[in-house]
Amino acid sequence: MKEIGNRTEIQLKTVSDVVFHVQCFDPFTALRVLGDLQRVLSPIVGSMVGSANATDVESINILSKSIGNICKGLHDYVDGDTLVKLIEMLVREDYISVSIEGGTPKRLSKDLVNLVFNGNPGGVLELAYEVVKVNYGGFFTIFKTLFGSQEA
């Protein structure tokens, strides 16, 4: 695994009964990936939020409308190639290693991804989600702290 300056913090994440060692991205990689993720996700979130109004917020219908809009947004903005590109941005060989059946951690490779997630593409999505949590979990908390509350 690539050492990034003095930052070698590694979080263990279990996905599909396999232990992954996930290291934080370096700051510039994290920003680059965040920018690419927001380019795809912002229109989806925008379509979801854009359909809500004051009466929806007070009713259970907001949930069903939101789910429908998310699905429509995914359909409109995310094709298979885009989804693979996003996952490859997150599930990076130089930041993840894997321990299979308690063995010595090995640098993640496409062959290991295929071995671990054969027949389980949802597992790759779950791993990508764990990478997002490791890299961006505190992002909005820090952002709020820096800029303060926008309450009037």
Side-chain angles (χ1 to χ4, degrees):
M1 181 163 304
K2 176 175 149 181
E3 183 174 327
I4 304 170
N6 291 328
R7 185 168 185 151
T8 57
E9 177 186 338
I10 296 172
Q11 293 188 29
L12 302 181
K13 300 293 181 178
T14 302
V15 177
S16 300
D17 297 323
V18 176
V19 177
F20 292 88
H21 306 248
V22 180
Q23 184 177 14
C24 290
F25 297 151
D26 66 82
F28 294 105
T29 297
L31 290 171
R32 190 173 295 110
V33 170
L34 181 62
D36 289 343
L37 288 173
Q38 70 80 30
R39 175 179 279 172
V40 173
L41 298 178
S42 291
I44 297 167
V45 173
S47 69
M48 180 182 82
V49 173
S51 69
N53 61 43
T55 59
D56 288 333
V57 172
E58 298 176 359
S59 73
I60 195 69
N61 292 334
I62 187 76
L63 181 60
S64 62
K65 286 184 177 185
S66 295
I67 292 171
N69 286 325
I70 289 171
C71 291
K72 183 180 182 328
L74 285 172
H75 176 268
D76 291 347
Y77 297 102
V78 181
D79 61 8
D81 290 337
T82 302
L83 183 58
V84 168
K85 180 182 173 191
L86 291 173
I87 297 302
E88 287 175 343
M89 279 191 296
L90 293 166
V91 180
R92 301 168 67 107
E93 296 177 0
D94 46 347
Y95 292 94
I96 302 174
S97 61
V98 58
S99 297
I100 299 174
E101 297 178 359
T104 303
K106 296 180 182 177
R107 182 185 291 243
L108 191 66
S109 66
K110 190 169 186 173
D111 288 340
L112 281 173
V113 168
N114 289 331
L115 175 69
V116 171
F117 297 116
N118 187 22
N120 180 16
V124 179
L125 294 172
E126 185 179 348
L127 178 58
Y129 175 70
E130 293 296 339
V131 171
V132 168
K133 288 186 345 188
V134 166
N135 284 282
Y136 306 106
F139 180 75
F140 295 105
T141 302
I142 292 169
F143 190 74
K144 183 179 177 183
T145 301
L146 288 173
F147 295 102
S149 175
Q150 298 300 314
E151 294 176 18

